[in-house]
Amino acid sequence: MEKTLVEMSLEESWQLAIRKEQEAQELYRVLSEKGTGGARELFLFLLEQEKGHERRLQDEYDLAFRQEW
């Protein structure tokens, strides 16, 4: 049984946010392959935006939870 957002730790919530960014990337990748012209360009733009979001979330996650001693 999956935890609800309220039941998740901060680390689990952060991991979920990263997964959601990855899922959005997959959606926009598929849509860009199906789209043409302006629609394709829009989905490619949105894909790149989601990649940036994931990178920022992953960088912050690493700082918060993956500190090396």
Side-chain angles (χ1 to χ4, degrees), residues 4-5 11-12 18-19 24 26 31 33-36 41 44-45 47-48 50 55-56 61 64:
T4 65
L5 288 175
E11 184 173 2
E12 291 169 324
I18 292 169
R19 281 194 310 275
E26 179 61 14
L31 291 172
E33 291 171 357
K34 294 180 179 192
T36 59
E41 293 303 315
L44 289 172
F45 171 79
L47 171 60
E48 290 305 312
E50 297 302 330
R55 277 191 300 274
R56 284 191 294 278
Y61 175 86

Side-chain angles (χ1 to χ4, degrees), residues 22-39:
Q22 293 166 340
E23 290 172 8
Q25 288 174 48
E26 179 61 14
L27 172 64
Y28 292 137
R29 185 190 62 73
V30 168
L31 291 172
S32 73
E33 291 171 357
K34 294 180 179 192
T36 59

Side-chain angles (χ1 to χ4, degrees), residues 11-22:
E11 184 173 2
E12 291 169 324
S13 298
W14 214 301
Q15 291 169 346
L16 175 62
I18 292 169
R19 281 194 310 275
K20 292 298 181 183
E21 294 297 337
Q22 293 166 340

